[in-house]
Amino acid sequence: MTTSSPATAVLLTARGLAYSRNDAPVFGPIDFEVGPGEVLLVTGANGSGKTTLLRVVAGLLALSEGDVRFGGAPIVRGMGAPGMAFLGHHAGHKADLTALENLAFATGINGQRSGTDAETALARVGLAGYEDTPAGKMSAGQRKRLGLARLLLLPATLWLLDEPYANLDLDGIDLVNRVIGEHVAGGAAALVTTHGAYAAPPVRTRMLVLGDPSRVPVEHPA
Ligand SMILES: Nc1ncnc2c1ncn2[C@@H]1O[C@H](COP(=O)(O)OP(=O)(O)OP(=O)(O)O)[C@@H](O)[C@H]1O
C-alpha cells in the first residue's frame, strides 16, 4: 500500500541533486528526504563528495543539477537558511576568544535556543572548567566538543554535521550520538557524514551512500 505523507512531514528534500566541478561529476544525481525526528547518515569513500554535499545543502556551494529544499524553500548558494546549523571539519572558532566568548559570539549572530545557557552547554559536552580557555589552546577533541556546545545553543532545526565523530575519544563519540538523539527527539533532524560504524544515534536513521570516485574519468596528459 502506498501512503502519502503531508508536506510538513519532510524537512529536507533533494531531487536529482548533482554537483560537478569543472564538468567532472563529484556526486549525483541523488534523491533523499529527511523528516522530523530523523538522521540521514551520509557515507562513502574518501573523495566521494560527502563534505561537498553538506556544503551544497548549507548553501555554501551552488548545485549543478536538480533541486534541494529546506522546509519547502529552495536552498540557494550564499543565502544561509534560518533554522540550519553547520558544524564542519574545522569548527570555525575564534582562536583568541575563550569558550564562553566564542559561544556568545555565535549566539549574538544566530540567536539562542530558549531554556539553556552557555555554561550548561559547556558542561553538557564535558567542558566544565574550560569556560575561560581560549579555543586556540584547546585540543582538537576539545574544539570539536566546543562546536557541539555551540550547536546545543543555536535555535536550529536541521544540523549539518561533517565528520562530527572525528578527533573524539569513545566518550566523545557516545556524546555525539546522545546529543543527536536528543536533538531529533523534539522533531528536529540532522545530516551526518561519517566513515564509522560508531555513528549510531539512537533515532530513526536513513542511509545515503555516495559513489566511488573511481567512476569519475581522470584526464591524463598525452
Ligand atoms: N576546494 C576544492 N577544490 C577542488 N576540488 C575539491 C575541493 N574540495 C574537494 N574537492 C574534490 O571534490 C571531491 C569530493 O571531496 P569531498 O571533500 O566532498 O569528499 P569526502 O567524501 O568528504 O571525502 P573525505 O571522506 O576524504 O572527507 C574530491 O575529489 C576532492 O578532491
Side-chain angles (χ1 to χ4, degrees):
M1 188 177 80
T2 306
T3 55
S4 61
S5 314
T8 52
V10 178
L11 283 176
L12 186 68
T13 316
R15 293 283 174 263
L17 178 62
Y19 182 84
S20 303
R21 188 176 281 113
N22 302 324
D23 291 330
V26 174
F27 69 77
I30 52 174
D31 300 297
F32 60 81
E33 290 182 352
V34 189
E38 290 183 339
V39 166
L40 180 71
L41 273 186
V42 184
T43 65
N46 290 136
S48 58
K50 301 180 295 296
T51 295
T52 305
L53 170 62
L54 244 67
R55 291 174 66 79
V56 169
V57 173
L60 296 169
L61 290 173
L63 53 79
S64 306
E65 289 172 36
D67 184 52
V68 59
R69 291 171 182 262
F70 175 51
I75 292 169
V76 178
R77 177 182 174 272
M79 301 287 289
M84 277 192 201
F86 182 88
L87 181 60
H89 271 304
H90 304 289
H93 305 310
K94 313 301 170 209
D96 293 338
L97 299 187
T98 67
L100 278 179
E101 288 169 341
N102 266 287
L103 295 178
F105 186 79
T107 56
I109 293 172
N110 300 287
Q112 185 168 324
R113 188 188 293 256
S114 61
T116 190
D117 57 45
E119 285 88 354
T120 304
L122 286 176
R124 179 79 183 81
V125 301
L127 288 181
Y130 289 85
E131 291 82 358
D132 299 322
T133 302
K137 294 193 174 172
M138 290 183 163
S139 72
Q142 289 167 339
R143 288 195 298 273
K144 180 61 65 94
R145 286 170 182 262
L146 181 56
L148 291 172
R150 188 176 67 208
L151 286 174
L152 293 175
L153 283 177
L154 298 185
T157 308
L158 178 67
W159 284 359
L160 304 175
L161 310 181
D162 197 9
E163 299 285 352
Y165 305 92
N167 299 123
L168 289 176
D169 55 24
L170 290 178
D171 174 65
I173 289 169
D174 189 45
L175 172 70
V176 172
N177 285 326
R178 277 185 281 123
V179 297
I180 292 173
E182 289 166 18
H183 176 63
V184 305
L191 237 77
V192 179
T193 70
T194 182
H195 297 109
Y198 40 71
V203 296
R204 196 163 61 245
T205 301
R206 297 178 188 238
M207 298 292 298
L208 175 66
V209 183
L210 294 185
D212 185 339
S214 62
R215 68 188 169 76
V216 178
V218 178
E219 284 187 12
H220 297 282

